[in-house]
């Protein structure tokens, strides 16, 4: 397990949105134009065949078109007694239904494509300098090739730094403008093709095959080119196909049933009924929802390497989070001064502050800050004629010499050794103070003036702000959090309680971590984790959702199924939300789509059977009472239903791209809420919508 | 509506629940191989049967093997029944054909054999003029037992598929959903035989007959020679109801005083119909280790059941618009229950008839104690609606549970998406394969009903079954639709009129079957019985060894009120969307008008 903190780029505070890519606006000129063209290009039946629901609509559109052409030419192919304008109107709206569906998909793809274009521009024209001085085109590099990159050059491909250290501008892929350090060995050795070396010279061993770089994958992901249907999408598609099948039988059998009742129903009307009944709304938006889900992750700077992983993230039951850097800030900060007998807290604070004045480490700064609370003003080092004694691995302490006084702070035993060497005698209370702090998970720093030990500074790793709320939120979502730490049990327990996690794994090793994941999975739980080190790789690969930090090693990035470009470990929480939102959006729109059918029945069936079993010639039959919407005319009723069916698709494009709002409130509350909005709403909305359209179609246009 | 009417309905619902709870527990013990009170009595015959069938009841079968056994067993049963019915005259030596009936023609027999093997008990023949006592007993009653048992074992197998927790997926028994013959034998010995014996005795006490006498001849008060049909009625009646078979010994079914003599016997018969379907739901809750799961399904069924009963009772007690127009008194007054008594028996009254009607049409029983076609428009639409809901409101023995479980999985899939997780039920994930099987399993029945109705209404051969002298327009359509809805749902009740056997009087001379209706109906019954069974078993097979995820806060609960509402919504929506157009042209047209369309026809 890696304990290194990804400190650059600085992980944003939880919940911060600073790192999000701005969504490419749907209404940006280029995207709209391209989407409009695509929505027509996609009318190709070979494209539609992938989506059985829309294929049926397209087939219906084709048949009604042919019928109209026959009518217009003076014949009567399948039109029955329909007027030609009616057939034409239906045909046009059926085509529009397919176009709207294509438009939804094209919009979703368009947003990704805009990002892909930017990425693609980085990939071109890179020429690599091989280690032996020869040059080669970047896209011909193979795994194992060694290239030299110097300041100002683009790194030609994904690889591992095997020699040198350099600052690299990765803003092209991460959106983060601050450069990052890449060096050979350790957990910061991975470099990405297309990023720019800003200083120094490094030798990179290429780890990718041509066309399979991180950038290539990123491009195809955001473009949706490699998009394969995810398991859940396949399941939903089967259900939609099943519904389409049964409605085809319902509509096909309605013709003989109608004839038995002396009512001849025209093919145009039957096709309209079929299209109204089959779940066109969800059928049209299904792939857009999937693409948009992926896109939402990209906007959060997360690259999911498969749609399956995005779906799985919605199912996560257990979240493994590293303590250091994820749950805690990672830097130990001064929290308390523990003076020895006969020393006042203020005196200890002053000496501690003086000893830390030149110490620019976060620990040193925090001592100065804490000392301020004792009313001790910051001294000016230069005016004090102080001489700075820096920390070394040998002395294990640092401090200043002022006016012949030696002020030191450092590891307990090092300070004791120094004091004893000076002839002093450390007080008996020192040992218990040092041990007490250590057992609580803190780090004790002893403070001495010459041969006198003044007291101990309690350095503590503090839990990040807002973590407890986040864990509460996760718990409400049904996700347990397990903290992973190398600390001993006691320390781990204390921090776990403070942070509010559900469980912890103390004294963790990579093996123990892997074992924990297997254990959880054997009990049927889905496990998510983040990691960056090479020794995280096995666990990342084993976890159902493994998010690798972009700052991590190449091994880690390849083991996970997502890469977080911000290298922010708490991003997992957002990933889970995106996964859930994806499924919820599918479920909600499916429910809405099916619930819509009731109103469509009440629009179309009374129109078809208005004069069936009428007792007077040309009069209305008993079924006209079912026309509860009181629609203008039979033709207007069918047209209104079809128009509603079509325009509901573009109206729902925003919701399918944005996703249905998700709140972590527990499954039952969520189900009730969505049933109410999309179930009941889906039942009622079309009654209103169809009636309104009928008012226009019948009263204004005279149908 | 009367207080005693509502009282009967309330008492029925309460009695049913109180009886079903302990029976559910008992059946859970039967199917998990635990000790039961009947063990000392049944242990020996059970062992003999296993030896006779040469099966080891402890050897588990995966779903394919289980399904193969089931299909082979049913096929054999079909052949035997067909031969018994066709060879009726050959068995006269047994003395069990006192009226010397000849066999019904091949086409009617095809329909009848298919009907009883599939637990449908659709009857184109009338028992007292067609079948010998031997055929009734050795043919039909045997199938009444085993076809019911087949339905129950499929439900039990599906329960095991859902409930089983497999730790080692490579273990030999990991994919086992039970042993077909073991389940079959235990169902018959421990469940069907004991209960039907008790019910048979109660019916005899109430006045049912049980004899092998020739029919009684007498001269009635109108000085006409009449005959009273006899037979071993009570024994067949008990299993006809308990197994939700519904095929009456007599043509008038449970309206006949020998089948259903009193108000009390009527109450007992209704309980007998629903007891196993209701108890199996509790068995389910116990076997999956969470009784609340059973209670949720029971609530779903009970809510829909009571809804149907209330609509039917209110409509019948109110009477039809035509009766009001004709000035017939429809209010309850001293000495009369009021309402629509046409086609109903005085001894059952309106509540007893409406309740019986709903009980036998929500289940796949199909027994009748009143004439459904004489119900009011709305009251008569209730059995249509019950059939349109694909027999999941309690449903047939076993078939009701396995059918509603398919709906539960569908509801879980849609609802599960809405809470943002891959849908899972009792810890098992519902994925593409399950959804495919569930969708097909659910859609088969409506598909079969609609297609066969279309064939029957669109063809001259199909319309030959309609008696155009009395039925035209919507009534003729209703009869046809009901006939195929009933056969596709393996119900067996009929909306009078539609026939597949013409002129079957006396010794059958001059009568003939209508091949089209007989074959179409027979094949509809076979298809709509065995296809869903295979899909249900396949679902059991795919779920059985699935990894189980523990439930958490993020898991959609399937044992609370929200899920019950979702499940009812899904059942109603699927049923309504599938059958609304067809129902429009039959019962709904009839319910909306008092006009009778004399001679309108086509």
């Amino acid at each position: 397990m890696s304990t290194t903190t990804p400190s650059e780029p600085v992980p944003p505070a939880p919940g911060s949105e600073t790192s999000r890519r701005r969504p490419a606006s749907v209404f940006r000129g280029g995207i709209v134009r391209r989407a409009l063209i695509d929505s027509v290009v996609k009318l190709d039946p070979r494209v539609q065949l992938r989506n059985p629901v829309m294929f049926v609509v397209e087939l219906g559109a084709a048949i009604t078109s042919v019928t109209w052409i026959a009518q217009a030419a003076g014949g009567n192919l399948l039109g029955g007694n329909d007027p030609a304008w009616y057939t034409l109107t239906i045909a046009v709206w059926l085509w529009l239904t397919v176009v709207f569906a294509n438009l939804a998909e094209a919009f979703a793809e368009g947003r990704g494509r805009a990002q892909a274009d930017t990425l693609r521009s980085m990939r071109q024209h890179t020429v690599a300098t091989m280690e032996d001085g020869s040059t080669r085109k970047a896209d011909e590099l193979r795994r194992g090739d060694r290239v030299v990159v110097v300041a100002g050059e683009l790194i030609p491909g994904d690889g591992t730094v095997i020699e040198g250290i350099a600052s690299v501008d990765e803003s092209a892929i991460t959106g983060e403008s601050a450069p990052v350090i890449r060096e050979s060995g350790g957990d910061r050795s991975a470099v990405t093709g297309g990023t720019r070396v800003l200083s120094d010279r490094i030798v990179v061993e290429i780890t990718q095959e041509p066309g399979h770089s991180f950038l290539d994958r990123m491009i195809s992901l955001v473009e949706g080119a490699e998009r394969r249907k995810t398991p859940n999408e396949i399941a939903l598609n089967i259900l939609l196909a099943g519904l389409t099948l049964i409605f085809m039988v319902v509509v096909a059998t309605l013709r003989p049933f109608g004839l038995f009742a002396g009512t001849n129903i025209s093919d145009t009307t039957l096709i309209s009924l079929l299209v109204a009944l089959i779940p066109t709304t969800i059928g049209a938006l299904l792939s857009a929802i999937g693409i948009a889900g992926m896109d939402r992750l990209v906007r959060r700077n997360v690259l999911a390497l498969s749609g399956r992983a995005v779906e799985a993230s919605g199912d996560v039951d257990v979240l493994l989070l590293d303590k250091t850097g994820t749950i805690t800030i990672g830097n130990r900060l001064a929290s308390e001064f523990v003076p020895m007998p006969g020393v006042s807290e203020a005196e200890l604070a002053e000496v501690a502050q003086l000893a830390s004045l030149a110490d620019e480490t976060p620990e040193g700064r925090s001592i100065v800050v804490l000392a301020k609370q004792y009313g001790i003003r910051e001294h000016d080092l230069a005016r004090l004629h102080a001489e700075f004694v820096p920390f070394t691995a040998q002395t294990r302490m640092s401090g200043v010499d002022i006016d012949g006084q030696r002020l030191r702070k450092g590891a307990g035993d090092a300070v004791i050794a120094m004091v004893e060497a000076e002839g002093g005698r450390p007080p008996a209370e020192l040992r218990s103070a040092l041990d007490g702090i250590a057992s609580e998970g803190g780090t004790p720093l002893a403070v001495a003036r010459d041969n006198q030990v003044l007291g101990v500074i309690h350095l503590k790793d503090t839990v990040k702000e807002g973590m407890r709320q986040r864990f509460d939120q996760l718990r409400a979502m049904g996700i347990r959090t397990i903290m992973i730490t190398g600390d001993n049990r006691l320390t781990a327990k204390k921090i776990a309680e403070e942070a509010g996690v559900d469980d912890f794994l103390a004294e963790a090793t990579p093996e123990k971590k892997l074992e924990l994941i297997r254990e959880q999975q054997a009990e049927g739980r889905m496990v998510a984790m983040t990691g960056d080190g090479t020794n995280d790789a096995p666990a990342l690969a084993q976890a159902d959702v493994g998010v690798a930090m972009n700052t991590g090693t190449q091994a880690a990035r390849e083991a996970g199924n997502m890469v977080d470009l911000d290298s922010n470990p708490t991003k997992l929480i957002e990933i889970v939300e995106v996964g859930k939102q994806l499924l919820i959006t599918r479920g909600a729109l499916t429910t809405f789509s099916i619930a819509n059918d009731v109103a469509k029945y009440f629009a179309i069936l009374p129109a078809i059977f208005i004069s069936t079993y009428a007792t007077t010639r040309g009069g209305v039959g008993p079924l006209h009472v079912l026309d509860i919407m009181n629609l203008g005319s039979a033709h207007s009723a069918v047209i209104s239903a079809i128009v509603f069916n079509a325009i509901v698709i573009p109206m729902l494009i925003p919701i399918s791209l944005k996703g249905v709002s998700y709140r972590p409130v527990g499954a039952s509350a969520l189900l009730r809420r969505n049933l109410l909005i999309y179930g009941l709403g889906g039942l009622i909305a079309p009654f209103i919508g169809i009636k309104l359209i009928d008012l226009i179609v019948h009263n204004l246009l005279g149908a | 509506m009367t207080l005693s009417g509502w009282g009967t309905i309330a008492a029925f619902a309460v009695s049913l629940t109180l009886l079903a709870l302990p029976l559910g527990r008992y059946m859970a013990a039967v199917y998990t191989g635990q000790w039961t009170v009947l063990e000392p009595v049944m242990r020996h015959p059970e062992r003999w049967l296993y030896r006779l069938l040469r099966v080891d009841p402890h050897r588990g079968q995966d779903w394919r093997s289980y399904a193969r056994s089931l299909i082979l067993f049913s096929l054999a049963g079909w052949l035997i029944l067909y031969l018994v019915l066709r060879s009726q005259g050959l068995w006269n030596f047994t003395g069990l054909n006192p009226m010397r009936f000849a066999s019904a023609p091949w086409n009617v027999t095809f329909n009848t054999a298919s009907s009883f093997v599939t637990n449908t008990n659709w009857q184109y023949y009338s028992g007292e003029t067609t079948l010998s006592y031997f055929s009734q007993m050795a043919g039909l009653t045997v199938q009444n037992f085993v076809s019911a048992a087949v339905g129950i074992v499929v439900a039990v197998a599906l329960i095991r598929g859902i409930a089983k927790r497999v730790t080692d997926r490579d273990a030999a028994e990991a994919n086992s959903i039970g042993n077909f013959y073991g389940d079959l034998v235990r169902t018959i010995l421990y469940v069907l035989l004991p209960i039907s014996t008790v019910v048979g005795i109660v019916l005899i006490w109430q006045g049912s007959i049980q004899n092998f006498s020739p029919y009684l001849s007498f001269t009635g008060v109108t000085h006409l020679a009449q005959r009273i049909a006899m037979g071993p009625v009570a024994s067949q009646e008990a299993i006809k109801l308990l197994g939700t078979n519904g095929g009456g010994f007599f043509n008038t079914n449970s309206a006949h005083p020998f089948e259903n003599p009193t108000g009390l016997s009527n109450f007992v018969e209704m309980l007998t119909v629903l007891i196993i379907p209701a108890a199996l739901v509790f068995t389910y809750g116990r076997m999956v280790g969470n009784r609340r799961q059973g209670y949720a399904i029971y609530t779903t069924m009970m809510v829909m059941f009571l809804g149907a009963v209330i609509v039917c009772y209110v409509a019948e007690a109110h009477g039809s618009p035509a009766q009001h127009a004709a000035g017939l008194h429809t209010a309850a007054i001293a000495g009369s229950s009021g309402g629509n008594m046409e086609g109903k028996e005085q001894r059952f009254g309106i509540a007893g008839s409406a309740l019986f009607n709903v009980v036998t049409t929500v289940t796949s029983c199909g027994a009748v104690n009143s004439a459904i076609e004489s119900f009011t428009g709305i009251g008569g639409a209730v059995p249509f609606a019950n059939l349109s809901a694909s027999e999941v409101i309690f449903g047939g023995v076993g078939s009701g549970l396995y059918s509603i479980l398919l709906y539960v999985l569908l509801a879980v899939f849609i609802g599960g998406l809405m809470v943002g997780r891959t849908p899972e039920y009792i810890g098992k994930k519902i994925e593409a394969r399950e959804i495919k099987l569930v969708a097909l399993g659910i859609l088969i029945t409506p598909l079969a009903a609609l297609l066969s109705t279309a064939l029957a209404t669109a063809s001259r051969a199909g319309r030959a079954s309609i008696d155009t002298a009395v039925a035209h327009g919507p009534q003729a359509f209703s009869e046809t639709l009901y006939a195929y809805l009933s056969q596709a749902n393996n119900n067996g009740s009929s909306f009078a009129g539609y026939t597949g056997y013409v002129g079957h009087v006396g010794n059958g001379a001059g009568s003939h079957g209508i091949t089209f209706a007989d074959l179409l109906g027979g094949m509809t019954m076979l298809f709509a019985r065995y296809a869903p069974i295979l899909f249900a078993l396949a679902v059991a097979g795919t779920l059985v060894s699935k990894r189980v995820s523990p439930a958490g806060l993020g898991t959609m609960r399937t044992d609370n009120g929200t899920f019950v509402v979702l499940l009812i919504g899904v059942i109603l929506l699927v049923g309504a969307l599938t059958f609304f157009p067809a129902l429009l042209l039959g019962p709904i047209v009839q319910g909306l008008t008092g006009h009778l369309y004399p001679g309108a026809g086509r």
Side-chain angles (χ1 to χ4, degrees), chain A residues 12 39 42 49 51 90 120 142 174 361 381 448 475 590 606 671:
Chain A
S39 61
K42 282 170 186 260
L49 208 51
N51 183 343
I90 295 293
R120 199 173 280 124
R142 308 204 74 88
T174 64
T361 63
L381 212 53
R475 208 165 297 121
T590 305
L671 179 62

Side-chain angles (χ1 to χ4, degrees), chain A residues 29-42:
Chain A
I31 295 182
V32 172
R33 203 177 325 114
R34 180 79 190 265
L36 285 173
I37 296 168
D38 276 359
S39 61
V40 177
V41 173
K42 282 170 186 260

Side-chain angles (χ1 to χ4, degrees), chain A residues 538-669:
Chain A
L540 276 174
Q542 178 70 33
D544 300 284
V545 178
V547 183
M549 301 292 101
N550 191 45
T551 51
T553 59
Q554 194 64 30
R557 293 197 332 192
E558 276 174 11
N561 46 16
M562 290 192 200
V563 177
D564 178 19
L565 300 174
D566 292 339
S567 303
N568 169 13
T570 55
K571 192 70 79 59
L572 257 178
I573 297 169
E574 287 177 54
I575 295 173
V576 168
E577 283 183 2
V578 168
K580 285 195 178 295
Q581 218 183 11
L582 180 70
L583 293 186
I584 293 174
T585 309
R586 278 188 201 141
L589 292 185
T590 305
T591 309
F592 183 82
S593 192
I594 299 171
N596 270 204
D597 282 359
V598 174
K600 292 170 190 165
Y601 263 147
F602 277 97
I604 297 179
L605 291 179
I608 292 176
F609 296 119
I610 187 147
S611 54
T612 301
Y613 291 126
T615 44
T616 54
R617 211 172 160 73
V620 291
L623 291 173
H624 81 277
V625 299
L626 293 175
D627 179 20
I628 51 178
M629 283 178 272
N630 196 16
L631 301 176
S633 69
H635 286 137
S636 169
V638 178
I639 291 171
S640 301
I642 284 300
V643 170
F644 176 84
N645 189 57
I647 63 171
V648 83
I649 296 170
M651 280 167 71
L652 289 175
I653 288 180
I655 216 172
S656 53
L657 295 189
K658 219 170 75 217
V660 168
S661 74
Y662 170 76
R663 265 183 265 155
V665 287
S668 290

Side-chain angles (χ1 to χ4, degrees), chain A residues 131-472:
Chain A
E131 213 178 12
D132 58 15
S134 64
T135 57
R136 196 185 288 181
K137 275 209 210 135
D139 51 13
E140 287 168 3
L141 288 174
R142 308 204 74 88
R143 193 185 290 267
D145 288 346
R146 291 179 174 195
V147 297
V148 178
V149 193
V150 297
E153 284 183 356
L154 283 177
I155 296 172
D158 298 352
T160 304
V161 180
I162 52 167
E163 194 186 312
I165 175 167
S167 60
V168 179
D169 173 12
E170 294 192 340
S171 62
I173 55 167
T174 64
E176 173 62 50
S177 54
V180 295
I181 300 297
R182 293 289 181 231
E183 58 186 326
S184 62
D187 288 344
R188 303 289 169 79
S189 58
V191 288
T192 309
T195 57
R196 190 177 295 278
V197 172
L198 294 180
S199 70
D200 306 288
R201 168 187 182 275
I202 47 176
V203 178
V204 174
E205 183 172 301
I206 299 295
T207 53
Q208 58 152 99
E209 293 297 338
H212 290 92
S213 71
F214 192 66
L215 207 59
D216 291 320
R217 270 197 292 181
M218 198 162 160
I219 289 167
S220 65
L221 276 170
V222 293
E223 261 191 332
E226 262 185 28
R227 216 180 82 80
R228 258 178 301 167
K229 282 187 182 144
T230 56
N232 175 267
E233 207 178 339
I234 293 171
L236 186 53
N237 246 317
I238 290 171
L239 180 64
L240 298 182
L243 286 170
T244 306
L245 179 75
I246 189 73
F247 285 128
M248 284 171 83
V249 173
V250 168
V251 170
T253 53
L254 196 56
R255 170 175 298 247
F257 294 173
L259 287 174
F260 192 88
T263 305
N264 189 12
I265 314 166
S266 76
D267 281 359
T268 307
T269 303
L270 276 181
I271 288 169
S272 304
L273 179 61
L274 175 62
V275 170
L277 292 180
I278 60 177
T280 46
T281 313
I282 180 68
L285 297 172
L286 191 53
S287 60
I289 293 170
I291 298 169
M294 202 76 133
D295 186 54
R296 276 201 296 281
L297 273 186
V298 172
R299 261 158 41 208
R300 285 171 173 76
N301 260 347
V302 176
L303 288 186
L305 303 185
S306 74
R308 186 187 279 263
V310 185
E311 256 176 35
S313 62
D315 291 349
V316 165
D317 301 294
V318 179
L319 214 55
L320 303 191
L321 291 177
D322 280 337
K323 184 199 84 175
T324 311
T326 307
I327 294 172
T328 61
I329 292 172
N331 298 319
R332 294 161 178 251
L333 303 180
S335 68
E336 192 190 357
F337 294 119
V338 185
M340 289 298 106
V343 181
S344 75
E345 239 175 282
E347 189 184 359
L348 171 62
E350 177 154 26
V351 174
Q353 186 232 33
L354 283 169
S356 308
L357 274 181
D359 184 354
E360 289 297 333
T361 63
E363 287 89 348
R365 302 307 309 155
S366 76
I367 293 170
V368 175
V369 170
L370 185 67
K372 255 189 195 169
Q373 292 174 6
Y374 291 87
I376 295 158
R377 297 189 47 77
E378 215 167 314
H379 295 80
D380 187 341
L381 212 53
R383 244 187 29 220
L384 285 174
H385 308 291
E387 191 189 327
F388 180 49
V389 182
F391 176 90
T392 69
Q394 283 79 39
T395 59
R396 291 194 294 143
M397 62 178 94
S398 65
V400 287
D401 291 345
I402 303 175
D403 304 333
Q405 279 190 327
R406 307 203 305 165
L407 310 181
R408 294 289 184 274
K409 68 173 205 299
D413 42 347
V415 171
I416 289 171
M418 178 198 83
V419 167
E420 279 171 349
E422 301 260 324
R425 217 159 51 82
E429 288 82 354
L430 178 62
R431 182 48 58 191
S432 62
L434 291 172
D435 291 348
I437 290 169
S439 71
E440 279 178 40
T443 307
L445 281 184
V447 179
R449 184 170 55 204
D450 294 329
N451 62 358
Q452 186 195 1
V453 178
L454 298 177
V456 182
I457 307 169
H458 186 166
L459 292 181
K460 210 163 101 178
D461 194 358
T462 38
V463 173
K464 282 184 187 170
E465 234 174 283
M467 288 315 282
R468 185 171 272 279
Q469 289 92 297
R470 291 237 113 184
F471 295 138
D472 287 346

Side-chain angles (χ1 to χ4, degrees), chain A residues 483-501:
Chain A
M483 182 182 83
I484 308 290
T485 174
D487 296 339
N488 62 44
R489 272 195 66 82
L490 217 64
T491 311
K493 188 164 188 278
K494 199 156 177 66
I495 294 178
E497 274 166 14
E498 199 179 324
V501 295

Side-chain angles (χ1 to χ4, degrees), chain A residues 232 234-236 238-239 242-243 246-247 249-250 253-254 256-258 260-261 314-317 475-478 521 523-525 580 583-584 587-588 591 594-595 597-598 601-602 605 609 612-613 615 622-623 625-626 666-668 670-672 674-675, chain B residues 410 413-415 417-423 429 431-432 435-436 439 443 446-447 450-451 453-454 457-458 463 466 473-474 476-477 547-550 553-557 560 562 566 573 576-578 580-582 584-585 588-589 592-593 595 597 602:
Chain A
N232 175 267
I234 293 171
L236 186 53
I238 290 171
L239 180 64
L243 286 170
I246 189 73
F247 285 128
V249 173
V250 168
T253 53
L254 196 56
F257 294 173
F260 192 88
D315 291 349
V316 165
D317 301 294
R475 208 165 297 121
M477 288 158 75
Q521 286 174 335
E523 284 167 30
R525 297 195 174 86
K580 285 195 178 295
L583 293 186
I584 293 174
T591 309
I594 299 171
D597 282 359
V598 174
Y601 263 147
F602 277 97
L605 291 179
F609 296 119
T612 301
Y613 291 126
T615 44
L623 291 173
V625 299
L626 293 175
S668 290
L670 208 56
L671 179 62
R672 260 196 301 278
N674 287 330
L675 267 183
Chain B
L410 182 65
F413 183 75
I414 295 173
L417 287 182
M418 278 195 284
V419 304
R421 277 174 75 93
T422 301
K429 287 201 161 39
E431 292 165 299
I435 274 301
K436 181 162 48 177
L443 297 180
L447 213 85
L450 284 176
L451 285 174
T453 308
T457 48
R463 291 195 296 263
I466 301 165
F477 185 76
R547 204 165 74 169
V548 178
S549 328
L553 256 180
T555 320
M556 184 180 72
R557 293 186 62 166
N560 61 11
T562 311
L566 173 66
L573 210 56
L577 293 180
T578 325
F580 188 63
L584 217 53
L585 295 173
I588 297 179
V589 163
L592 288 175
T593 174
H595 192 79
Y597 306 99
R602 294 170 292 280

